[in-house]
Amino acid sequence: MLKNWFKIFLYNVKNNKLFTSLNILGLSIGIAGLIFAMLYWNEEHSYNSWIEDKDRTFQVTNDLGDLNLDIWSTNLAATGELLQASSDDLESYCYVNDWYSGEIISYKGNKIICSKITDAQKNFFSFIPFEFIKGNPKTALSANSIVLSEKTAKALFGDENPINKQIKYAKGVKIVKGVYRVDKRTFFEPEAVINNIETRLAENKDEWGNFNFALLVKLKNPAAKEKTEKQIENIYYENRIKRYAKNEGISPEEYLKKNGNIKVHLEPLSQVRLHTLTSGGPEGKGNYQFLVIMFGLSILILILSITNYVNLATANAIKRAKEVGIRKILGATKGNIIRQFIFETVITAIIAILISLVVVELSLPYYNDFLNKTLMLHSNEFYVQLIVIFIIVVITAGIFPAVYVSNFETLKVLKGNFSRSKSGVWLRNGMLILQFAIASFFIIGSYIVYSQVNHMANMELGFNGDQVVQVQYRNFYDWKDENYQEKLFNRYYTIKRELSKIKGVQQVTTGAFDFGNGANSSSGFKYKDVNNIQGQNMAVDFGMLEMMQIKIVKGRGFSEKYALDTVNSVMVNETALKMMKEKDPIGKIIHWNNKDLKIVGIVDDFNVTGPQNEIPPMTFFHFKTITWMLGNVSSIYVKVDAENMQQTIADIEKFWTTKVDTEYPFSYDFVNKNYARTYEDYIKQKNLFSLLNIIVILIAVFGLFALASYSIQRKMKEIAIRKTLGAETGVLLKELSKQYILFCIAGFAIALLPVYYLLDKWLENFAFRIDISPMPFIVGFIVLLMLTLVVVLSRAYQATKVNVLKYLKYE
């Protein structure tokens, strides 16, 4: 029986090569799109999923209130110990830096740059339980030890056993006490782990304004999450609020009324990657919205592919009506016919899946480059999902056509009247309208996404980074060193002076912030009755704002002419000024970290963290005003001539690698290029939409072409008669294409509300967004209508040029 069904399948494929190819190709594209989305989905959801205690281990985050634009993943040094003493629900806690540091480490002359070093307390590996190859995870971390990843240990030691070996680390020595394997995704994937954090915790124990440390807590029962949040808030109240209120001479209630309270959130590790309110740890935050968009669009494409398949299958059934009628006469049951047609769908689905796997395998390197991932096809989870896809495709694409065919009336079929029957036409028309709706969604959506990304790329940023090179700069000195600040300033000014001598260098300066990431520190300041304006600390050298063409809208900028500009002068940006509620700020005093600073200027708002983000409040001061800020500098900015730029950069590199940093590789970037990375994810979304738009249009055109061909083929006798009676070609074309234009309009109308609602929700991600105008809808409709007319009229025109005798000679 199966052999017979297979022969029938091959016979029909041979007689319908074009439409079978279009069917399989459409299904293959739809399945391939879903596979790509699945691989991305699986990888993003794999973060921390392997950690056994992921649902009772939490990252502590702090929301400092309405005057602050961010929720911090950093905490106070005393919180963990005080929580341990007051909570019966806490099992353990661990402080850790939620960023990576970089350092050169060496062993017997073998030197490597370790760029992902985590500083954590000794119980770090009980929270992130990497598999230990050597050493004991419970005792490996101490003040003078270092634990290496398997990859780092191999690079440094080769095949030699690294345990208890001494390595050079920064200016000191560390002893290797463990080697771990990083083979699973998590929000910490360090190349090495050290324990220098204990000293800093001790020094900050009584500091209730320094949120410097990430804090992980493990609860005995995850149900105690809300209770623990309240306990931490109470710790803040007892030790921070009461202390600050006393210093101001007011009650705690009055202080809270003026400043608000800190809201604590405990985020389980199972949700940190995709649902955190913060930056997501050193491995970054996953883009959950992009993930959902990609998965949703892939499902839409698969639906389109299946719709296309069902449409073609039911249309093609007309040509097989006599086959079904004869088989019924010979005794085939309805169930037998259903099983046969489902069998054919199974074969088609298997072929489509095989082709889709080939497409995915060949395209995977480009896809990984697109997402900056290393995704692979091989996993048990993936194969299970592939089987599920196969079952869904067979059920949705196979059952209805099979049932539809099995219900053919034998006598009507054998009398030859079936081709004139309206059976199944309503379904094919409905599915064609659905195809038009999905195509409309993609065309309009692509236009809106493109417009928003183009708007971000071309909007006025408030600064100009043309010809400005950002050179990575390392601070060599330990803040505990004698004359630390003097050494820091002397080194910076020496570098600045020597760089300025290089031919082609126009200006050299720096700031303790990065265009694209913002400042690396933030402090609250007070002004009159407005308290705790959490400004980004924008420490700068003279000339920094001028070089970047950042405007001063009131007052003046910092100048070497004014001695007090390095003592107690400050500038604020327009956002901070609005929060201060002050019309005439020049000469007024703000209270910043127990220091009184006089406002000398107001800086025009500029986008320091990316054009999709709101502009935060900022405070600007010279490095010598807040001397410790120079230690936060990670880049030196150099403006170079446009002419001979390559030679100038080469000269800068030569100076840097011979005089500034002989051990670390020279690293630079252009400010504009670095800043563009802040909205790189949205450029990817634009590119994704554009690519999927092309795919959707192709699938829709395949379906429309095939369906129009079948529909016109059924009307060939009618066309021949009308031509014989003198009908003009234009009239025939109008009649043949009219219904498809109506279907196009209906599908477009169905798509209007969903596309407007979903794209408007997407635009809410942007502080600076476009308004949805009628233009995307007008363009979308015109494009869809033109595609429809091109496909339908081309087929209809061919039909009007046939030899009428071919269809009338037997009449």
Side-chain angles (χ1 to χ4, degrees):
M1 180 178 65
L2 292 178
K3 183 178 179 181
N4 186 47
W5 288 354
F6 190 71
K7 286 182 177 180
I8 294 173
F9 172 76
L10 291 178
Y11 174 80
N12 282 289
V13 168
K14 184 179 178 181
N15 289 323
N16 298 278
K17 295 184 184 71
L18 176 62
F19 299 126
T20 302
S21 300
L22 292 178
N23 239 341
I24 293 175
L25 182 60
L27 268 183
S28 299
I29 293 173
I31 294 169
L34 189 56
I35 289 174
F36 278 127
M38 269 186 345
L39 292 175
Y40 182 32
W41 180 278
N42 292 344
E43 206 260 356
E44 286 294 318
H45 281 83
S46 68
Y47 278 81
N48 301 333
S49 62
W50 56 277
I51 299 175
E52 186 177 348
D53 298 327
K54 61 183 178 295
D55 291 318
R56 65 185 186 97
T57 303
F58 299 86
Q59 173 181 255
V60 181
T61 65
N62 298 282
D63 183 353
L64 275 71
D66 294 337
L67 295 181
N68 305 281
L69 300 178
D70 296 318
I71 296 177
W72 295 355
S73 60
T74 48
N75 292 263
L76 301 164
T79 304
E81 185 177 340
L82 292 173
L83 182 64
Q84 184 83 73
S86 61
S87 174
D88 295 328
D89 301 302
L90 182 67
E91 181 177 305
S92 59
Y93 69 89
C94 177
Y95 279 103
V96 59
N97 285 345
D98 67 341
W99 66 89
Y100 293 133
S101 59
E103 193 54 73
I104 296 173
I105 59 177
S106 61
Y107 174 73
K108 291 183 178 180
N110 185 17
K111 186 185 301 181
I112 65 171
I113 297 169
C114 198
S115 59
K116 296 171 65 174
I117 300 174
T118 292
D119 189 1
Q121 287 188 295
K122 61 184 179 181
N123 61 341
F124 173 75
F125 291 107
S126 68
F127 283 79
I128 313 296
F130 292 120
E131 177 190 353
F132 258 61
I133 300 169
K134 299 180 185 296
N136 186 339
K138 295 180 180 179
T139 59
L141 275 179
S142 63
N144 65 342
S145 71
I146 186 169
V147 184
L148 306 176
S149 71
E150 183 181 25
K151 182 179 178 181
T152 305
K154 183 72 174 176
L156 193 61
F157 292 94
D159 296 327
E160 188 176 347
N161 185 359
I163 298 300
N164 293 325
K165 296 293 193 307
Q166 288 188 349
I167 64 172
K168 288 184 179 180
Y169 178 91
K171 292 183 178 180
V173 172
K174 294 281 187 183
I175 301 172
V176 180
K177 287 293 184 180
V179 177
Y180 59 91
R181 177 173 291 144
V182 181
D183 58 352
K184 302 178 183 70
R185 302 314 306 262
T186 182
F187 69 140
F188 280 90
E189 297 179 11
E191 297 170 348
V193 184
I194 59 173
N195 182 5
N196 292 345
I197 201 170
E198 300 284 1
T199 304
R200 291 189 295 123
L201 286 169
E203 291 164 349
N204 282 268
K205 191 173 181 179
D206 295 322
E207 297 291 338
W208 289 92
N210 294 346
F211 287 78
N212 293 331
F213 312 95
L215 176 60
L216 304 177
V217 297
K218 188 178 293 185
L219 303 182
K220 297 173 183 176
N221 187 341
K225 170 180 173 290
E226 292 183 6
K227 179 182 175 183
T228 306
E229 290 173 342
K230 297 296 182 186
Q231 288 172 330
I232 296 175
E233 289 173 4
N234 186 60
I235 289 172
Y236 292 161
Y237 180 82
E238 292 295 328
N239 296 276
R240 191 175 190 270
I241 305 301
K242 285 187 175 180
R243 180 181 300 191
Y244 285 5
K246 184 178 180 181
N247 290 341
E248 292 186 24
I250 58 177
S251 69
E253 290 71 23
E254 290 174 313
Y255 182 89
L256 286 173
K257 188 175 180 180
K258 289 174 63 177
N259 300 282
N261 199 7
I262 297 174
K263 183 70 176 175
V264 175
H265 301 279
L266 263 61
E267 299 179 338
L269 296 195
S270 56
Q271 298 181 16
V272 164
R273 173 67 178 179
L274 291 171
H275 303 288
T276 181
L277 300 172
T278 68
S279 60
E283 287 296 320
K285 179 181 180 180
N287 192 333
Y288 183 69
Q289 186 191 63
F290 181 45
L291 183 63
V292 171
I293 288 172
M294 189 171 180
F295 204 78
L297 295 181
S298 299
I299 290 174
L300 270 181
I301 290 178
L302 184 61
I303 290 172
L304 184 67
S305 300
I306 291 173
T307 301
N308 191 57
Y309 180 91
V310 172
N311 235 347
L312 293 178
T314 53
N316 190 44
I318 296 169
K319 298 177 69 175
R320 300 183 64 180
K322 285 187 177 180
E323 171 197 331
V324 173
I326 292 171
R327 291 197 64 208
K328 281 191 172 184
I329 291 293
L330 295 175
T333 63
K334 184 176 178 180
N336 187 264
I337 293 171
I338 289 175
R339 286 192 292 273
Q340 177 195 346
F341 278 83
I342 289 178
F343 172 78
E344 293 182 6
T345 303
V346 167
I347 296 175
T348 304
I350 290 173
I351 295 171
I353 286 176
L354 292 175
I355 293 174
S356 68
L357 288 174
V358 172
V359 170
V360 171
E361 185 68 37
L362 294 175
S363 307
L364 203 53
Y366 306 101
Y367 185 65
N368 281 330
D369 185 58
F370 173 72
L371 293 175
N372 194 25
K373 297 283 188 182
T374 54
L375 306 179
M376 294 183 294
L377 282 176
H378 314 295
S379 73
N380 292 333
E381 182 182 27
F382 169 72
Y383 292 124
V384 170
Q385 291 169 335
L386 197 61
I387 292 170
V388 172
I389 290 175
F390 170 74
I391 293 171
I392 290 173
V393 168
V394 170
I395 291 174
T396 54
I399 289 181
F400 178 81
V403 172
Y404 169 67
V405 169
S406 69
N407 284 324
F408 287 171
E409 295 179 28
T410 307
L411 291 177
K412 184 183 290 187
V413 167
L414 295 180
K415 284 180 179 180
N417 297 322
F418 186 79
S419 62
R420 299 183 179 91
S421 170
K422 299 294 183 182
S423 178
V425 171
W426 65 270
L427 177 71
R428 290 196 298 277
N429 292 344
M431 288 190 171
L432 186 59
I433 291 171
L434 177 61
Q435 287 180 311
F436 278 126
I438 294 174
S440 300
F441 180 93
F442 276 89
I443 295 170
I444 298 168
S446 293
Y447 190 106
I448 294 172
V449 171
Y450 174 83
S451 299
Q452 174 61 34
V453 174
N454 191 55
H455 172 71
M456 289 194 298
N458 294 289
M459 68 182 286
E460 181 61 46
L461 300 174
F463 71 88
N464 187 349
D466 291 344
Q467 300 165 228
V468 178
V469 178
Q470 180 178 348
V471 182
Q472 185 177 333
Y473 173 73
R474 287 199 308 148
N475 174 15
F476 280 173
Y477 306 110
D478 191 320
W479 65 274
K480 298 177 186 176
D481 291 349
E482 187 177 354
N483 300 322
Y484 165 70
Q485 291 182 347
E486 182 181 349
K487 292 179 181 177
L488 208 59
F489 276 96
N490 287 341
R491 182 169 185 259
Y492 164 66
Y493 285 119
T494 299
I495 293 171
K496 179 179 179 179
R497 184 173 59 252
E498 293 302 316
L499 281 174
S500 300
K501 295 177 182 178
I502 295 175
K503 184 180 179 180
V505 172
Q506 295 180 359
Q507 189 177 357
V508 182
T509 186
T510 193
F513 56 92
D514 176 64
F515 290 93
N517 296 313
N520 49 24
S521 73
S522 175
S523 300
F525 70 88
K526 299 177 182 179
Y527 178 74
K528 293 182 178 179
D529 294 330
V530 182
N531 289 275
N532 198 35
I533 299 174
Q534 195 70 35
Q536 292 208 8
N537 295 327
M538 313 291 283
V540 296
D541 190 12
F542 292 122
M544 178 66 184
L545 301 185
E546 291 79 4
M547 185 176 80
M548 300 305 300
Q549 299 179 31
I550 298 170
K551 297 176 183 177
I552 308 297
V553 294
K554 282 186 182 180
R556 62 175 179 82
F558 297 136
S559 171
E560 294 177 90
K561 298 178 182 178
Y562 302 96
L564 289 180
D565 279 1
T566 58
V567 179
N568 66 351
S569 295
V570 69
M571 293 188 290
V572 297
N573 70 338
E574 291 180 298
T575 298
L577 182 62
K578 290 173 186 175
M579 293 179 175
M580 292 165 60
K581 301 176 183 177
E582 175 61 63
K583 293 183 179 179
D584 185 20
I586 305 302
K588 300 297 193 299
I589 303 296
I590 67 169
H591 304 284
W592 185 94
N593 273 5
N594 299 319
K595 190 178 179 73
D596 290 344
L597 302 174
K598 180 190 285 188
I599 298 174
V600 298
I602 304 300
V603 179
D604 190 17
D605 278 345
F606 63 95
N607 296 80
V608 71
T609 59
Q612 71 274 22
N613 298 324
E614 293 182 25
I615 298 173
M618 305 176 192
T619 51
F620 297 82
F621 31 71
H622 191 272
F623 284 117
K624 289 186 177 179
T625 304
I626 312 295
T627 54
W628 58 267
M629 278 287 178
L630 189 58
N632 286 352
V633 169
S634 59
S635 299
I636 290 180
Y637 296 89
V638 184
K639 186 160 189 175
V640 298
D641 288 333
E643 295 183 8
N644 300 318
M645 185 180 290
Q646 287 185 340
Q647 183 59 49
T648 302
I649 293 174
D651 292 341
I652 293 172
E653 180 176 3
K654 182 179 178 182
F655 163 72
W656 201 271
T657 55
T658 57
K659 304 292 185 182
V660 178
D661 199 335
T662 58
E663 295 186 327
Y664 220 73
F666 178 71
S667 178
Y668 77 96
D669 207 345
F670 288 94
V671 168
N672 288 347
K673 184 179 178 182
N674 185 53
Y675 186 81
R677 294 192 185 99
T678 63
Y679 54 93
E680 189 175 27
D681 280 350
Y682 296 104
I683 293 175
K684 289 179 179 179
Q685 291 184 30
K686 179 200 74 172
N687 294 338
L688 175 68
F689 235 119
S690 300
L691 175 63
L692 295 183
N693 193 31
I694 294 171
I695 293 171
V696 164
I697 289 173
L698 283 175
I699 295 174
V701 166
F702 289 164
L704 182 61
F705 175 82
L707 203 58
S709 297
Y710 275 120
S711 177
I712 292 170
Q713 188 65 34
R714 292 177 60 202
K715 295 182 179 181
M716 287 308 299
K717 193 170 290 186
E718 174 189 338
I719 293 170
I721 294 171
R722 296 187 65 177
K723 282 194 69 177
T724 302
L725 296 175
E728 295 181 356
T729 300
V731 175
L732 291 174
L733 291 176
K734 180 181 176 181
E735 288 298 317
L736 291 172
S737 60
K738 183 169 60 177
Q739 65 171 333
Y740 292 100
I741 294 173
L742 294 175
F743 295 157
C744 174
I745 294 171
F748 180 80
I750 291 171
L752 286 179
L753 186 60
V755 74
Y756 181 87
Y757 174 78
L758 293 173
L759 268 297
D760 189 63
K761 292 292 289 183
W762 181 77
L763 287 170
E764 290 177 3
N765 291 304
F766 306 94
F768 302 92
R769 53 162 285 181
I770 62 169
D771 293 321
I772 299 179
S773 68
M775 186 56 66
F777 300 94
I778 295 171
V779 171
F781 178 72
I782 291 173
V783 170
L784 193 68
L785 185 61
M786 292 301 295
L787 285 171
T788 303
L789 290 176
V790 167
V791 174
V792 174
L793 290 179
S794 64
R795 297 298 297 153
Y797 183 77
Q798 290 177 5
T800 62
K801 298 302 178 182
V802 298
N803 183 0
V804 296
L805 294 178
K806 178 181 177 181
Y807 293 94
L808 298 180
K809 62 183 177 181
Y810 296 113
E811 293 295 319

